[in-house]
Amino acid sequence: MSTVPQPLASVLPCPLIDRAGPFDPYRVRADFPVLKQSVCGKPLVYLDNAATAQKPRVVIDTLQRYYACENANIHRGVHHLSQIATDAYEGARTRVRHFLNAAQDREIIFVRGTTEGINLVAQTWGRQQVGEGDEILISAMEHHSNIVPWQILCEEKGAKLCVIPINDRGELMLDEYEKRLNGRTRLVSVAHVSNALGTLNPVREIVDLAHRWGVPVLVDGAQAVPHLKVDVRELDCDFYIFSGHKLYGPTGIGVLYGKADLLASMPPYHGGGNMIKSVTFEKTTYADLPNKFEAGTPPIAGGIGLGAAINYLNQVGLDRAAVYEEDLLSCATEALSRIPGLSIIGTAPRKVSVLSFVIEDIHPHDIGTVLDQEGVAVRAGHHCAQPVMQHFGVPATTRAATAFYNTPEDLDALVRGLHKAIEVFR
Ligand code: PLP
């Protein structure tokens, strides 16, 4: 294990790294080529990880090797390359299954990302199961991709979209949740971790309460899987969905996990090649899981790249990284809290990675622009969670979201950049 250099002239209020023990952010950081560059003459500090995470060398190499040496369409070919590509793609499915601790490979459906996964469930399970007067229950902290698909469904079916409120720390109000569960509820669909607030929701409790009413639960895991060990059997959720690109993998690939009996009972989403058993003009019969939901040529390279990302995460050790990330977040929270006029939006005691904030009299976009000039990449806007902004009475926030490759020096750069923004705009 390499020795860990301490940050120089740190403006951070607390020591980092100690508790994470053997986890070495400097060593993992070296695996990410993009982080080695400068922006505006300053070393790049990448804190836009909730939007998308950077890719380790091994993922980039895997994609390169796939296209250079293994490219072929899968499942249907009898030739050598097709078999190699099929094995690699199906091997990635098995890796995802282990990563989520799902019971069977056929419970893992490859999709384009979280957005497509939620739309798939809304348009298949939802269209089959939801009728007039039924209710879909989501929370007030959802990303638009866990709101709009349900609105489309509710409009079509004459069903009602109900919302679990959040409190001023940005926590889901469990007592209000319980009150909203009833005989008309058909589905609960909630984020595991909020992308706008960082709140970590008590998914197991949410699932247990819904199951008492026989209601299935969909979990949007987009912001959880990069930071937490997720066990779908332990959570007992019915659907769990995430995007590969936030998990250090490629864009264009994501995962829908569903319990096998539920997936088997659902009609297909898209029709076409690969999802059929037989086709005549009179009748088509559908393939078994998971192919029934993977019509057409799938994102083969994306799936294989995601498998490489999961392999990499297994080597890094997500559990150890999570301890380090927890320290990083609490240190950053303390540092930002000391900045005059800065308010953190989302102060739940159980949070992951995300620091959303506003600074009095400075627009979040202006903060983002000054930070960019300092080489610090953050996001400014509503983060596709406009109802969250409405709840907190702000048009937008600046969002810094950490990953395990961020270091104390990155946080120093953020804090210094924020002081600079205050200097410039006040
Ligand atoms: N859900 C959450 C909580 C997210 O943060 C995001 C993206 O930021 C999404 C869903 C949508 O993910 P994608 O754009 O990869 O489909």
Side-chain angles (χ1 to χ4, degrees):
M1 196 185 59
S2 58
T3 44
V4 175
Q6 289 302 306
L8 296 173
S10 179
V11 294
L12 297 177
C14 39
L16 261 172
I17 298 176
D18 307 356
R19 201 164 71 90
F23 184 76
D24 181 347
Y26 299 91
R27 197 168 65 185
V28 294
R29 189 181 176 80
D31 296 333
F32 292 79
V34 80
L35 298 176
K36 297 187 174 113
Q37 67 189 291
S38 294
V39 169
C40 300
K42 310 270 168 60
L44 169 65
V45 171
Y46 188 77
L47 291 170
D48 195 17
N49 293 290
T52 199
Q54 298 301 347
K55 319 304 172 202
R57 166 64 64 197
V58 65
V59 169
I60 300 166
D61 288 349
T62 299
L63 293 174
Q64 210 260 341
R65 193 184 59 239
Y66 169 72
Y67 280 122
C69 310
E70 298 166 356
N71 178 53
N73 212 327
I74 58 170
H75 293 152
R76 285 154 282 193
V78 287
H79 60 83
H80 177 73
L81 281 188
S82 176
Q83 279 171 13
I84 289 181
T86 303
D87 288 350
Y89 186 73
E90 291 305 325
R93 194 188 308 277
T94 304
R95 273 189 206 153
V96 173
R97 190 246 292 183
H98 289 303
F99 180 69
L100 294 178
N101 193 30
Q104 309 167 43
D105 282 8
R106 68 195 187 111
E107 295 179 316
I108 304 300
I109 312 295
F110 282 129
V111 288
R112 274 192 296 146
T114 309
T115 304
E116 187 177 61
I118 297 173
N119 277 281
L120 188 159
V121 177
Q123 289 300 312
T124 59
W125 183 89
R127 278 180 134 184
Q128 188 185 56
Q129 299 291 329
V130 176
E132 196 171 341
D134 287 344
E135 295 179 0
I136 305 283
L137 190 49
I138 61 170
S139 90
M141 70 174 83
E142 299 309 317
H143 187 281
H144 296 164
S145 63
N146 198 22
I147 302 174
V148 185
W150 306 117
Q151 280 174 328
I152 293 170
L153 178 71
C154 286
E155 226 161 85
E156 183 187 320
K157 295 289 185 172
K160 188 173 162 201
L161 188 66
C162 301
V163 181
I164 311 160
I166 54 175
N167 64 22
D168 286 340
R169 287 195 298 266
E171 292 165 296
L172 206 141
M173 296 168 76
L174 278 177
D175 50 341
E176 294 296 328
Y177 166 53
E178 264 195 273
K179 282 185 210 158
R180 281 162 178 73
L181 280 168
N182 62 59
R184 291 181 303 279
T185 314
R186 288 290 161 267
L187 180 81
V188 172
S189 189
V190 289
H192 198 168
V193 169
S194 154
N195 70 307
L197 302 167
T199 311
L200 170 61
N201 283 321
V203 167
R204 179 64 211 227
E205 222 174 317
I206 290 168
V207 169
D208 285 347
L209 287 166
H211 283 180
R212 275 189 216 163
W213 286 90
V215 173
V217 178
L218 182 154
V219 181
D220 170 354
Q223 296 296 340
V225 283
H227 308 287
L228 305 171
K229 186 87 201 79
V230 170
D231 181 331
V232 289
R233 278 190 278 178
E234 170 70 32
L235 294 175
D236 198 25
C237 55
D238 301 275
F239 300 106
Y240 195 98
I241 302 175
F242 69 87
S243 302
H245 69 97
K246 295 182 199 284
L247 190 68
Y248 312 97
T251 50
I253 184 78
V255 168
L256 160 64
Y257 156 81
K259 286 180 177 167
D261 51 348
L262 213 46
L263 289 174
S265 73
M266 285 157 48
Y269 183 36
H270 293 147
N274 197 47
M275 52 77 73
I276 54 92
K277 264 185 190 147
S278 73
V279 178
T280 66
F281 288 120
E282 288 70 39
K283 185 166 174 59
T284 291
T285 54
Y286 304 126
D288 294 328
L289 297 175
N291 298 28
K292 183 171 83 173
F293 292 107
E294 294 185 8
T297 299
I300 305 166
I304 294 169
L306 176 60
I310 288 175
N311 227 15
Y312 173 76
L313 286 172
N314 291 338
Q315 283 160 20
V316 165
L318 209 46
D319 285 339
R320 286 183 298 128
V323 174
Y324 170 70
E325 280 198 57
E326 209 180 306
D327 284 359
L328 203 61
L329 180 65
S330 62
C331 188
T333 305
E334 203 177 323
L336 261 58
S337 308
R338 294 180 181 192
I339 296 176
L342 186 148
S343 307
I344 293 173
I345 305 291
T347 50
R350 297 184 72 215
K351 278 184 62 173
V352 178
S353 168
V354 168
L355 262 176
S356 255
F357 55 90
V358 290
I359 300 182
E360 244 169 49
D361 303 329
I362 313 180
H363 195 279
H365 285 119
D366 291 333
I367 297 170
T369 305
V370 173
L371 288 175
D372 183 49
Q373 285 156 8
E374 298 300 305
V376 181
V378 295
R379 187 143 293 239
H382 53 62
H383 317 297
C384 295
Q386 285 183 352
V388 173
M389 302 298 122
Q390 285 149 19
H391 175 87
F392 285 95
V394 294
T397 70
T398 308
R399 181 183 71 187
T402 56
F404 53 63
Y405 48 56
N406 288 120
T407 63
E409 285 84 350
D410 290 346
L411 299 188
D412 272 348
L414 171 67
V415 171
R416 288 202 178 93
L418 292 175
H419 281 294
K420 190 145 196 180
I422 291 170
E423 240 174 72
V424 171
F425 287 102
R426 285 236 186 99

